Amino acid sequence: MTLWKKGFLRQSIKKTEEGQLEWITGLFFLLILGILLCGTLQLDVFRASAVYLEDALAASNLASAVIDVEEYGISHTILIEDPDRAYEIYLSALQGNLNLNEEWECPGKGLIGGQVRVLDYIVYNVHEDNVEIYRYDENGLLSYSEGCLGEVEAPNGKVIEGTGVYSEVTYPVKGIMGVEVQACKANLADIAVDER
């Protein structure tokens, strides 16, 4: 005799209780909502970190752009006086603006989850149609080159039109659920004369 005839299989196949399908559907939508909420929170952490770093980079670049006042008084040409000194000022200003310790880490590990590294620091001195480029790499080593005005581009793709400072940093960002991303932020600060 088969199991079907004994009624064993007929008893094991039961109708679902009313509302069970709605319950499962509701849990599924709650799961999707939770995933969307986590993703939104993660994006907000990245966005806040980017704004924080962008402001600190702009302030540090401007702090390091100390112009040669004597040259400006003689020829009305804006030049950054001493690129080595500008780089030292930049490092000090960046460390202060981001509240970094001696190991270049943020003590609170809030928006910055680890060590901040300066990838690039470049001083562009424009004199007439000539652009002098002083570039400090990740190790702080200086290289010098020249170019023509209108042809030199900063690493972020912007054409150099006047004397300015470019910097780029990388840092880890820790998000929710243990997600860690290595972020990179760059800024170009131009120094312009107000000809009013």
Side-chain angles (χ1 to χ4, degrees), residues 3-181:
L3 291 176
W4 184 260
K5 289 181 181 176
K6 287 186 175 179
F8 181 73
L9 285 179
R10 273 187 260 158
Q11 290 175 357
S12 65
I13 301 174
K14 296 180 181 177
K15 285 189 170 185
T16 59
E17 293 180 24
E18 237 175 86
Q20 193 173 12
L21 184 61
E22 288 85 6
W23 229 95
I24 292 172
T25 305
L27 284 176
F28 176 74
F29 282 121
L30 277 176
L31 177 66
I32 296 296
L33 183 64
I35 291 170
L36 288 175
L37 182 62
C38 286
T40 303
L41 288 173
Q42 185 68 59
L43 287 175
D44 284 344
V45 167
F46 293 156
R47 193 175 297 120
S49 173
V51 168
Y52 179 63
L53 258 293
E54 191 169 326
D55 290 345
L57 279 179
S60 301
N61 284 352
L62 290 173
S64 71
V66 179
I67 67 167
D68 186 344
V69 180
E70 186 176 335
E71 180 65 36
Y72 182 71
I74 294 169
S75 66
H76 294 291
T77 302
I78 295 178
L79 297 174
I80 294 177
E81 186 173 15
D82 181 8
D84 288 331
R85 178 76 178 122
Y87 182 60
E88 290 173 16
I89 292 171
Y90 169 78
L91 292 176
S92 176
L94 184 65
Q95 192 172 15
N97 288 333
L98 293 177
N99 191 29
L100 303 174
N101 60 21
E102 294 300 317
E103 288 80 36
W104 282 73
E105 292 181 351
C106 200
K109 304 249 189 224
L111 295 176
I112 301 172
Q115 186 180 36
V116 175
R117 291 185 358 252
V118 178
L119 297 178
D120 231 350
Y121 178 80
I122 306 171
V123 172
Y124 297 102
N125 273 335
V126 176
H127 191 280
E128 295 175 3
D129 289 335
N130 188 38
V131 180
E132 297 176 334
I133 305 162
Y134 300 88
R135 183 179 213 142
Y136 295 84
D137 67 7
E138 188 175 355
N139 301 316
L141 298 174
L142 172 65
S143 62
Y144 173 81
S145 61
E146 291 185 11
C148 294
L149 187 63
E151 295 177 4
V152 177
E153 287 186 3
N156 64 357
K158 292 184 181 177
V159 176
I160 302 302
E161 298 173 351
T163 296
V165 174
Y166 171 87
S167 67
E168 184 176 350
V169 298
T170 183
Y171 58 99
V173 178
K174 290 188 179 176
I176 55 175
M177 296 192 300
V179 174
E180 185 173 315
V181 176

